[in-house]
Amino acid sequence: MSSESDFIKTVFGLKLRQQRQKRNWSLQDLADKTKLSKSYLNEIENGKKYPKHDKIIQLADVLNCKFDDLVSTKLDKNLAPFSEILQSDFFKEVPLELFGINKNTLINIISEAPKKVTAFLNTLIEISQNYNLGKERFYFAVVRSFQELYDNHFPDIEEKAKNFAEENQLKLGKNIDIKHLEKILIDVFDYEIKSEDFEQYGTLNHLRSLYVPEKKLLLLNRLLDENQKTFILAKEIGFQVLELNPRPNTYSWLDFTSFEELLSNFYASYFAGCILIPKDELIEKTEEFFDEPDFDSQKFDELIAHFTNSPETFYYRLTNLLSAEFGIKDLFYLCFVKKKNTDKVQILKELHLNQQQAPHGNATNEHYCRRWVAIKNLKELKENETATSAQISHYKDSGLSYLVISTSHRNPFSDGTNRSYCLGILLNSNSLKKIKFAKNDSIKSEDVGVTCETCSISDCEVRKAPPTRLEKEHFNESMKKAIAKIRKELL
């Protein structure tokens, strides 16, 4: 919580509510017995006010409890697990208001059913420990949930980016003038920008940029290509225009001190996407592509190249607009990475709109389905090549089918690492109406699973592991049926 005072008020409110509820009294009952107003008591229970000494004596007398029990900050065993949460920066670091939840709502839930909520929190803690869900993964999951809640579309940022570009006569899109971006940062926001050899400091080439706020100094890795440099400059403008603070000072992620930093980074990146790929033109060109009778990978590559040299930026920018502008709300975006001389594929970034589409990144070391088009592209990718293809993926166990478009290429900022981006669109009446080529039989169809360990495809030629988790589920189900049969015969 934000201060010791807030913690004391919150704990007192929780204890007062507990004492009242033990007696099955309503708030009005307590008001009548103490001659204190109902609104005043409500503010006390919600942690907004702390009563004076004489009022506490009055409450303790009416509730027939000890004065010291009310004012002590020690919580009983039902509420003890919340002590650490209430004293931590949880409420500050994860702004619950983003999800329409305020602190008092959460406290009300806790106090109404403390034992059940305690069990729930303990379960979350156990899951996080067993699945290696550290603070970083938790915060990224919260940001992703926030994006999904709003269909990854933020019109206020779109508007601010458009207005800023007009005010500064900034030409948007692929031909954006990088010198113009630098000039804006220097002249408008008083930046100093330098190219730096980070390798001399022992960071190799992993650190792309470093911002030193005390000097408004932006250091750019000299190994950056033009696209990477442009994105970082556009994002720095986003930090300033949107007045984002606190903010991260490094790219890529090395460390962060709060959830707010992570959220600020997302907002600034969204702003950069608006600058680099303008909305109106992307909508127009995408509509033209969707209107094609056949999927043509070359035309899709040309569509990407029209806007950017970065497939990742293009794929992600599409997720900003497909839901809001095309009404295509059931989709997922994934970024896979595969290092050189290894067969292991990891999900680096993910986004799932509307439904909780598979697959999801996990830390269980299960094997993602090798029938996915994105992973097949990674496996077949040749050095310095870019490969784009499409596939109709039938998820056999869920019965859902997706149009999946994927582009794979060598990661330009690392040695021997390939990346694959994919956009999956649920095939339903709406998407089939919007995307003409989705009905074309020329796109290869494939039965797919999620992970080998959970997949029921029996004749899979690329399976990397037996369906152990699925077999366990089937075993448990057969045991339940056997028990039901025994009971039926006995009764």
Side-chain angles (χ1 to χ4, degrees):
M1 301 187 75
S2 57
S3 69
E4 181 67 18
S5 174
D6 283 343
F7 172 66
I8 292 171
K9 287 189 288 186
T10 300
V11 170
F12 186 92
L14 281 170
K15 288 191 167 188
L16 180 62
R17 183 181 305 223
Q18 270 194 319
Q19 291 291 340
R20 174 175 63 80
Q21 291 175 338
K22 280 181 183 178
R23 291 153 182 77
N24 293 319
W25 291 354
S26 68
L27 203 59
Q28 186 62 56
D29 291 334
L30 184 59
D32 293 338
K33 293 176 186 298
T34 59
K35 308 303 181 185
L36 300 173
S37 73
K38 181 180 176 181
S39 60
Y40 175 65
L41 291 170
N42 185 56
E43 286 185 303
I44 293 174
E45 288 194 357
N46 285 324
K48 293 181 179 179
K49 287 187 176 179
Y50 192 85
K52 292 182 178 179
H53 188 271
D54 60 322
K55 297 292 192 299
I56 298 176
I57 294 175
Q58 187 176 352
L59 287 165
D61 183 56
V62 168
L63 291 165
N64 194 27
C65 65
K66 294 179 180 179
F67 176 94
D68 290 345
D69 288 342
L70 275 182
V71 299
S72 170
T73 56
K74 184 178 180 181
L75 295 168
D76 66 26
K77 65 178 183 180
N78 286 342
L79 292 173
F82 305 112
S83 180
E84 185 175 342
I85 293 176
L86 293 172
Q87 294 181 83
S88 72
D89 290 331
F90 177 82
F91 292 108
K92 181 176 67 174
E93 290 186 358
V94 183
L96 298 174
E97 63 272 11
L98 290 175
F99 302 92
I101 302 171
N102 59 43
K103 183 189 72 175
N104 292 334
T105 302
L106 190 59
I107 290 173
N108 286 340
I109 294 171
I110 292 171
S111 61
E112 290 292 338
K115 290 183 179 179
K116 293 180 180 178
V117 178
T118 299
F120 174 70
L121 286 184
N122 286 338
T123 300
L124 291 182
I125 292 168
E126 185 175 346
I127 290 172
S128 69
Q129 291 172 341
N130 290 338
Y131 287 84
N132 301 318
L133 183 63
K135 178 180 178 181
E136 178 180 341
R137 288 176 61 85
F138 171 73
Y139 280 164
F140 274 105
V142 174
V143 171
R144 189 168 62 248
S145 295
F146 173 64
Q147 295 171 249
E148 293 166 2
L149 183 65
Y150 290 91
D151 292 331
N152 202 31
H153 179 67
F154 296 85
D156 55 331
I157 300 180
E158 300 271 357
E159 189 66 23
K160 287 179 181 178
K162 182 178 179 181
N163 292 340
F164 178 82
E166 291 174 354
E167 291 167 4
N168 290 273
Q169 299 179 335
L170 185 63
K171 184 178 179 181
L172 305 183
K174 185 177 180 180
N175 296 321
I176 193 168
D177 186 353
I178 192 169
K179 294 297 182 184
H180 195 172
L181 295 179
E182 289 180 340
K183 183 174 173 59
I184 289 171
L185 284 169
I186 293 169
D187 294 347
V188 179
F189 299 113
D190 199 28
Y191 268 53
E192 181 182 0
I193 302 173
K194 291 182 178 179
S195 180
E196 185 67 54
D197 177 12
F198 287 134
E199 191 170 357
Q200 66 176 310
Y201 299 103
T203 64
L204 302 178
N205 58 3
H206 300 297
L207 184 64
R208 300 192 185 188
S209 68
L210 172 65
Y211 176 64
V212 184
E214 295 83 0
K215 296 184 176 182
K216 282 202 167 183
L217 172 64
L218 179 63
L219 300 175
L220 298 173
N221 194 317
R222 63 178 179 82
L223 299 177
L224 289 173
D225 64 28
E226 197 80 353
N227 298 310
Q228 294 162 337
K229 186 176 179 181
T230 302
F231 181 81
I232 290 172
L233 293 175
K235 192 164 82 166
E236 284 297 326
I237 292 174
F239 281 126
Q240 299 301 323
V241 172
L242 301 176
E243 299 179 340
L244 298 171
N245 189 45
R247 53 154 291 179
N249 295 321
T250 61
Y251 189 119
S252 300
W253 279 105
L254 297 176
D255 190 21
F256 53 88
T257 58
S258 71
F259 172 77
E260 287 287 356
E261 283 189 14
L262 203 59
L263 191 61
S264 293
N265 185 72
F266 163 68
Y267 284 144
S269 298
Y270 192 104
F271 182 96
C274 298
I275 293 291
L276 300 178
I277 302 182
K279 180 180 77 170
D280 294 340
E281 188 179 7
L282 179 59
I283 292 170
E284 178 187 346
K285 295 293 184 182
T286 302
E287 283 178 340
E288 291 175 2
F289 182 75
F290 282 170
D291 208 37
E292 292 283 340
D294 302 305
F295 175 80
D296 187 326
S297 60
Q298 183 176 342
K299 286 186 178 180
F300 191 75
D301 286 339
E302 291 170 356
L303 178 62
I304 295 174
H306 176 82
F307 290 100
T308 177
N309 292 320
S310 169
E312 180 177 14
T313 302
F314 179 82
Y315 271 83
Y316 191 79
R317 184 70 173 126
L318 273 181
T319 69
N320 300 149
L321 303 176
L322 285 177
S323 178
E325 303 295 338
F326 291 83
I328 298 175
K329 296 181 180 293
D330 298 284
L331 60 86
F332 63 78
Y333 161 79
L334 298 168
C335 170
F336 295 92
V337 62
K338 178 180 178 294
K339 293 184 178 180
K340 192 175 183 179
N341 299 324
T342 178
D343 194 43
K344 187 175 182 180
V345 176
Q346 294 176 300
I347 292 179
L348 187 64
K349 299 177 183 177
E350 59 181 312
L351 191 69
H352 309 265
L353 302 190
N354 206 31
Q355 293 191 8
Q356 291 297 304
Q357 297 92 352
H360 287 270
N362 62 56
T364 59
N365 294 317
E366 293 188 359
H367 299 77
Y368 295 121
C369 180
R370 263 42 181 184
R371 294 186 173 199
W372 293 343
V373 63
I375 292 184
K376 286 191 287 186
N377 279 352
L378 275 178
K379 183 179 179 181
E380 298 168 4
L381 193 66
K382 297 177 182 177
E383 190 174 354
N384 298 323
E385 182 185 47
T386 297
T388 295
S389 55
Q391 175 178 295
I392 303 297
S393 291
H394 301 292
Y395 282 85
K396 187 172 182 293
D397 296 317
S398 69
L400 299 177
S401 297
Y402 288 82
L403 165 67
V404 183
I405 303 174
S406 175
T407 298
S408 301
H409 70 154
R410 175 182 170 273
N411 183 4
F413 204 69
S414 65
D415 180 26
T417 299
N418 292 331
R419 286 192 177 192
S420 190
Y421 316 101
C422 72
L423 180 71
I425 298 173
L426 181 68
L427 292 180
N428 53 28
S429 58
N430 180 55
S431 59
L432 289 170
K433 182 180 178 181
K434 299 282 185 180
I435 308 171
K436 287 188 177 180
F437 60 76
K439 294 175 283 190
N440 195 304
D441 293 337
S442 63
I443 300 179
K444 183 179 179 181
S445 294
E446 186 86 77
D447 288 335
V448 301
V450 177
T451 67
C452 294
E453 288 78 357
T454 62
C455 181
S456 65
I457 300 174
S458 58
D459 58 346
C460 180
E461 72 287 354
V462 289
R463 180 183 287 280
K464 291 292 180 181
T468 51
R469 213 149 45 101
L470 185 66
E471 289 170 352
K472 184 175 181 180
E473 290 174 7
H474 287 170
F475 174 79
N476 290 340
E477 189 61 33
S478 65
M479 288 293 289
K480 289 178 183 178
K481 289 180 180 179
I483 291 169
K485 184 178 180 180
I486 293 171
R487 286 175 57 83
K488 184 177 179 181
E489 290 180 357
L490 291 175
L491 297 175

